Amino acid sequence: MNSRTLIVNGILAALYVAVSLVINPIAFSAIQFRIPELFNHLIVFNKKYIYGIVAGVFITNLFSPMAAYDLIFGVGQSLLALLIVIFASRYIKNIKVLMIINILVFTFTMFMIALELHLALGFPFWLSWFTTAIGEFTVMLIGAPIIYAMNKRIQFSKWIS
């Protein structure tokens, strides 16, 4: 990893953590609107953003009330979803289509967070999956056009080599 990639991913992780901690009351538990999840869309522009996103999720989850569970399930869910989207990007080159796939993959994989909530707090699995998936879907859906529009000016694919 070159220094530019390392620096950009460090900044991305710091942004993820900072935004998460500001919105802390709605970032954890059965109903989640973790706003920095919109950064997940960066993966469609360059697969190397995986490092900053996963690092951001990891550090954020250190501050979670259920840190032990969140470090396994939360980081695992993000990593799994990102890897699926990276795999899909080998075959799909249309950014808008990849962003839609990204939304759907992250929404579907919230079953891992529902399982975490079920195991750690006894929350009902299906209801937890529904509520966390709705939160993830909402944030990712709102974030897609924002990140897409920002990319027109910033060109995320060129920030990391």
Side-chain angles (χ1 to χ4, degrees), residues 5 16 18 25 32-33 39 44 50 52 61 68-69 71 82 84 86 94 110 112 117 131 152 157:
T5 300
Y16 190 104
Q32 299 183 7
F33 289 97
F39 295 134
V44 304
I50 193 171
N61 286 344
Y69 283 96
L71 290 172
L82 291 166
I84 290 169
I86 288 171
N94 183 301
M110 291 304 283
M112 293 177 70
L117 293 170
T131 58
K152 289 187 182 258
S157 62

Side-chain angles (χ1 to χ4, degrees), residues 16 19-20 23 26-27 32-40 135 139-140 142-143:
Y16 190 104
V19 175
S20 291
I23 55 107
I26 61 170
Q32 299 183 7
F33 289 97
R34 194 179 278 195
I35 307 301
E37 286 289 286
L38 66 88
F39 295 134
N40 293 331
V139 169
M140 295 286 288
I142 292 169

Side-chain angles (χ1 to χ4, degrees), residues 83-95:
L83 290 172
I84 290 169
V85 174
I86 288 171
F87 179 78
S89 71
R90 291 181 174 180
Y91 305 100
I92 301 165
K93 301 302 176 194
N94 183 301
I95 296 297

Side-chain angles (χ1 to χ4, degrees), residues 63-76:
F63 297 97
S64 165
M66 302 184 316
Y69 283 96
D70 271 338
L71 290 172
I72 296 167
F73 289 94
V75 175

Side-chain angles (χ1 to χ4, degrees), residues 29-30 66 69 115-124:
S29 197
M66 302 184 316
Y69 283 96
L115 180 60
E116 169 191 1
L117 293 170
H118 178 70
L119 294 174
L121 301 174
F123 289 2

Side-chain angles (χ1 to χ4, degrees), residues 81-152:
L82 291 166
L83 290 172
I84 290 169
V85 174
I86 288 171
F87 179 78
S89 71
R90 291 181 174 180
Y91 305 100
I92 301 165
K93 301 302 176 194
N94 183 301
I95 296 297
K96 289 181 181 178
V97 171
L98 274 174
M99 290 182 109
I100 291 168
I101 290 169
N102 199 26
I103 293 167
L104 296 175
V105 167
F106 268 90
T107 300
F108 176 77
T109 58
M110 291 304 283
F111 75 86
M112 293 177 70
I113 306 305
L115 180 60
E116 169 191 1
L117 293 170
H118 178 70
L119 294 174
L121 301 174
F123 289 2
F125 174 79
W126 293 107
L127 180 60
S128 296
W129 189 6
F130 177 74
T131 58
T132 57
I134 290 294
E136 187 75 5
F137 180 80
T138 303
V139 169
M140 295 286 288
L141 186 65
I142 292 169
I146 294 168
I147 296 294
Y148 187 80
M150 287 177 66
N151 182 60
K152 289 187 182 258

